[in-house]
Amino acid sequence: MDTFALVVTIGVALFFTYTNGFHDSANAIATSVSTRALTPRVALALAAVMNMAGAFLGSGVAKTVSEGLIQTPEGATGMGILFAALVGAITWNLVTWYFGLPSSSSHALFGGMVGAALAGGTTVYWDGVLDSVVIPMFVSPIVGLLVGYLVMTAIMWIFRRSNPHKAKRGFRIAQTVSAAAMALGHGLQDAQKTMGIVVMALVIADVEDYGDPIPVWVKIACAVMLSAGTYAGGWRIMRTLGRKIIELDPPQGFAAEATGASIMFATAYLFKVPVSTTHVITSAIMGVGATKRINAVRWGVAKNIILGWFITMPAAALVAAASYGLVHLVTLR
């Protein structure tokens, strides 16, 4: 039964990674597709490859997820907590994907972990949740907004005397690099989050010891599933990010992607905190768009997206807590 529970939990974790891929694929490529720098299929293929590569670039975020948010639970109860956490995250991913809202898969997962841990009587490290989740959740969009605005302002000043058509053509080519960097950062951040969950499951099952390095097969499995999900594509969310917030041109697309990628690499390597790729790229697009004029950004759409950010963690936590209740009832029989 323990082996079966482990296999099921890891399978659900990998399915979460798949939903994360198609839910967040838009983060990496929506701007490139909307500016016609890349065709959708080429952009998705590029994002899938770079997502896979990014998964192997570090382990700091995975360590924060597996050791810094909740106490590693034990036995059948522990496996039930992880299973319920993943169900809460997957449910929220699918709901927001259906409505085309670019919510955070990361915060759905963290909300699921906290909700399931509370329902299962496991200690939540509230300091860790505050430092690694809540503070970055508020700070990263502000940084994305400001840096996006400053990067776009710098581009406008540097290329102020350039031929507009030549500049746009150049930035279309440059967007191939910035989209690849964005996808690499997405793989670096989001694949590691699931690696952290799988490592917790292996520790609960006594297959791994606490603090052991991430097994290579875990990295490969998470990278492949994230990459496959990315290639499946999240067209509904892509429309919201690429067109509904603001109509982007190639220089703006490059500025937004360069901003998003820079923030994701900095947070993964310097602070080892899991930030939301959705929050970062959405706020960067808003910051870039505001350089045109403040009302060029469709703030009504932005308001709905931000509302989704605030309710993601509590909603996923509630679903996860309810899921744990059901798991507990079934295992009691």
Side-chain angles (χ1 to χ4, degrees), residues 220-240:
I220 293 171
C222 291
V224 168
M225 291 304 289
L226 185 71
S227 186
T230 296
Y231 191 70
W235 302 106
R236 292 168 184 265
I237 293 169
M238 203 179 297
R239 272 199 300 274
T240 301

Side-chain angles (χ1 to χ4, degrees), residues 99-322:
F99 289 106
L101 280 177
S103 70
S104 169
S105 295
S106 306
H107 292 135
L109 178 62
F110 303 146
M113 288 175 71
V114 170
L118 290 174
T122 292
T123 302
V124 175
Y125 299 141
W126 291 110
D127 285 348
V129 172
L130 180 67
D131 293 344
S132 299
V133 179
V134 177
I135 290 175
M137 180 171 75
F138 287 100
V139 172
S140 60
I142 294 169
V143 172
L145 193 74
L146 292 175
V147 174
Y149 183 88
L150 293 173
V151 168
M152 191 61 216
T153 301
I155 286 172
M156 289 163 67
W157 187 82
I158 292 166
F159 291 91
R160 66 192 184 280
R161 293 192 179 93
S162 300
N163 180 297
H165 296 295
K166 282 186 179 178
K168 284 186 178 181
R169 197 157 54 240
F171 275 107
R172 275 206 179 92
I173 296 167
Q175 269 198 278
T176 305
V177 178
S178 60
M182 187 72 202
L184 196 69
H186 180 228
L188 172 66
Q189 278 277 347
D190 283 30
Q192 283 192 55
K193 291 160 190 169
T194 307
M195 288 178 206
I197 294 292
V198 174
V199 166
M200 286 183 79
L202 294 172
V203 170
I204 291 168
D206 286 329
V207 176
E208 292 277 317
D209 291 326
Y210 190 80
D212 279 357
I214 301 167
V216 174
W217 71 265
V218 173
K219 291 186 177 184
I220 293 171
C222 291
V224 168
M225 291 304 289
L226 185 71
S227 186
T230 296
Y231 191 70
W235 302 106
R236 292 168 184 265
I237 293 169
M238 203 179 297
R239 272 199 300 274
T240 301
L241 277 180
R243 295 288 175 87
K244 287 187 179 177
I245 296 174
I246 184 170
E247 294 284 344
L248 294 169
D249 60 24
Q252 291 172 327
F254 173 82
E257 289 168 344
T259 297
S262 301
I263 292 170
M264 284 194 291
F265 281 109
T267 51
Y269 284 120
L270 298 179
F271 305 107
K272 294 180 172 54
V273 295
V275 297
S276 166
T277 53
T278 311
H279 290 193
V280 168
I281 189 61
T282 307
S283 58
I285 290 171
M286 291 177 195
V288 165
T291 59
K292 191 182 284 187
R293 59 183 190 282
I294 294 296
N295 62 358
V297 179
R298 299 186 180 105
W299 295 105
V301 175
K303 182 187 73 175
N304 292 337
I305 292 169
I306 292 166
L307 183 63
W309 293 354
F310 278 106
I311 64 174
T312 290
M313 280 189 70
L318 287 171
V319 175

